[in-house]
Amino acid sequence: MFTGLVEELGVIKGITQQTLNVATQLDDIKIGDSIAINGVCLTVVKIQGDVLTFDYSPKTDELTNLSALK
């Protein structure tokens, strides 16, 4: 359930048309967790150190502002 609370501001480490990598200080995240990024709920598919990886579809790219992230 989305609580509307911002817990952390992540840092974009890499973005392609289908993958987003975000560094975070959150330590209770696991694969399969859903995290809202700029209002887009994405699922964690990989965790490498403090970097979370999310996959998303071209349609998500088209309908959201994710492609504008740097």
Side-chain angles (χ1 to χ4, degrees):
M1 177 172 69
F2 178 66
T3 62
L5 299 175
V6 175
E7 290 187 41
E8 171 77 18
L9 293 177
V11 176
I12 304 296
K13 290 297 186 178
I15 188 166
T16 68
Q17 289 183 338
Q18 295 180 337
T19 303
L20 175 64
N21 296 312
V22 179
T24 179
Q25 297 301 310
L26 295 174
D27 59 2
D28 58 346
I29 303 298
K30 57 189 176 305
I31 291 176
D33 282 354
S34 181
I35 298 179
I37 299 176
N38 282 20
V40 181
C41 287
L42 298 174
T43 302
V44 178
V45 296
K46 183 178 173 185
I47 302 171
Q48 205 167 19
D50 66 346
V51 177
L52 308 176
T53 299
F54 306 88
D55 290 339
Y56 62 96
S57 71
K59 193 66 169 178
T60 300
D61 196 44
E62 177 185 325
L63 296 174
T64 68
N65 64 0
L66 291 182
S67 62
L69 298 177
K70 304 225 185 270

